[in-house]
Amino acid sequence: MSEGKKLVANTALQTVGRFLTLLISLVTLSYIANHLLVDGSALKGYGQYTIVLTFISIIGATADLGLFTLVVREITGKQPETAGRIVGSALVFRFLLMLATLLVLAVLYNFLPYELVVKRGIILGALIAFLMLFSQAIATIFQANYLSGRIVVSEVTGRLVMAALTIYFLYHGAGLIPVIVANLVGNLVLLVVSYLLSRSVSPIKIHFDFSLWKQTLPEFWSIAVVTLLGLVHFRLDSLILSVYKPLTDVGIYGVAYRIFDIILVIPAIF
């Protein structure tokens, strides 16, 4: 199959997969928005959930800074062993970025103007962001080898587990923390499935290649700056709203923005 046909097939598979995850996400969103109650209010419950989701996005973006884009480019066309070394090196670099992000979060933790349950949710959210970053690192192998079908399998499996656990917990009257745990378990399943599917493509070797990152550092920082600007533009609004407005307002905004955020995934593929 020619490169052009592979690209078209790869994009088509990604689009189908994103539509499936979009539908699962919308069902999960609907259930959370109607059944996550705080003081008898679903809007307050979703307001808390929105705050935690925003922190997950911020932590994940800060610990990535465009690394996914660089890794896909670097491993495309490489031999499996070389690609595995690059991805393994990227995992170490990403881990260091994650540690730096968590240190900043630890310093700011006591100053966060939220209830204790929300703060605990943010701590669990940091673990979720950690799992998501590792899953994305493995996904670069599939992306570079036109194996989007494996991305679809892992993402749909993880989303289904997350949706099933979320509905189960809320059906039994659980609160914010169990819902975040459902998200955590779903992302853990996604990571495990991704890793198992990647073993036959490129064995990942964990190490840090200083010469590689020294060479790509100028490009990395330019992408990182753009990523941070996008983070400020798209993510800080919910946090600003949570400081000045009650949870019900955050919940209303959070539902609308989450739908918008999910739909944006489709054009982002291209």
Side-chain angles (χ1 to χ4, degrees):
M1 186 183 292
S2 67
E3 289 292 312
K5 289 182 179 179
K6 285 182 180 180
L7 183 60
V8 171
N10 193 62
T11 304
L13 277 173
Q14 276 192 295
T15 304
V16 171
R18 293 301 183 184
F19 270 116
L20 289 174
T21 55
L22 184 151
L23 290 175
I24 298 169
S25 297
L26 287 176
V27 171
T28 309
L29 166 66
S30 175
Y31 210 84
I32 294 173
N34 286 285
H35 296 87
L36 180 56
L37 303 178
V38 173
D39 299 329
S41 171
L43 283 176
K44 285 185 178 180
Y46 199 83
Q48 290 184 344
Y49 185 68
T50 297
I51 293 170
V52 175
L53 277 187
T54 302
F55 271 94
I56 292 174
S57 299
I58 291 174
I59 293 169
T62 306
D64 179 70
L65 296 178
L67 192 60
F68 178 88
T69 304
L70 276 179
V71 173
V72 171
R73 190 197 67 182
E74 290 297 323
I75 68 175
T76 299
K78 298 289 195 305
Q79 293 296 321
E81 186 177 344
T82 303
R85 285 201 302 270
I86 294 173
V87 172
S89 181
L91 285 174
V92 176
F93 191 40
R94 181 164 278 172
F95 180 75
L96 295 175
L97 286 174
M98 192 73 188
L99 284 181
T101 304
L102 291 178
L103 285 174
V104 173
L105 178 63
V107 171
L108 297 177
Y109 181 81
N110 290 326
F111 299 98
L112 297 176
Y114 305 123
E115 300 175 34
L116 182 60
V117 66
V118 177
K119 288 185 176 183
R120 289 174 177 172
I122 292 171
I123 296 300
L124 288 173
L127 296 177
I128 292 171
F130 192 82
L131 293 174
M132 291 171 65
L133 288 171
F134 274 87
S135 297
Q136 288 173 6
I138 297 174
T140 57
I141 295 174
F142 303 139
Q143 190 80 1
N145 290 278
Y146 303 110
L147 295 173
S148 287
R150 302 192 186 194
I151 298 177
V152 172
V153 170
S154 56
E155 287 192 351
V156 170
T157 303
R159 292 285 182 179
L160 284 174
V161 170
M162 188 189 308
L165 287 176
T166 299
I167 293 172
Y168 174 82
F169 288 144
L170 290 177
Y171 180 78
H172 288 84
L176 176 68
I177 298 302
V179 171
I180 302 302
V181 169
N183 196 315
L184 178 65
V185 174
N187 277 285
L188 180 60
V189 170
L190 193 160
L191 175 60
V192 171
V193 174
S194 296
Y195 173 71
L196 293 176
L197 292 175
S198 70
R199 293 174 67 183
S200 62
V201 184
S202 291
I204 299 173
K205 297 182 179 180
I206 304 297
H207 75 297
F208 189 74
D209 189 342
F210 181 77
S211 61
L212 172 65
W213 297 111
K214 183 179 180 181
Q215 178 183 344
T216 57
L217 204 58
E219 292 177 82
F220 170 74
W221 286 121
S222 62
I223 297 175
V225 170
V226 174
T227 302
L228 287 174
L229 289 175
L231 182 64
V232 171
H233 182 71
F234 286 108
R235 298 300 176 191
L236 291 189
D237 47 1
S238 295
L239 295 188
I240 294 171
L241 193 66
S242 70
V243 173
Y244 292 101
K245 295 291 183 180
L247 283 173
T248 51
D249 290 10
V250 179
I252 293 171
Y253 183 80
V255 171
Y257 193 88
R258 182 59 180 157
I259 293 173
F260 176 69
D261 201 29
I262 291 171
I263 294 173
L264 275 181
V265 170
I266 301 301
I269 293 173
F270 294 96

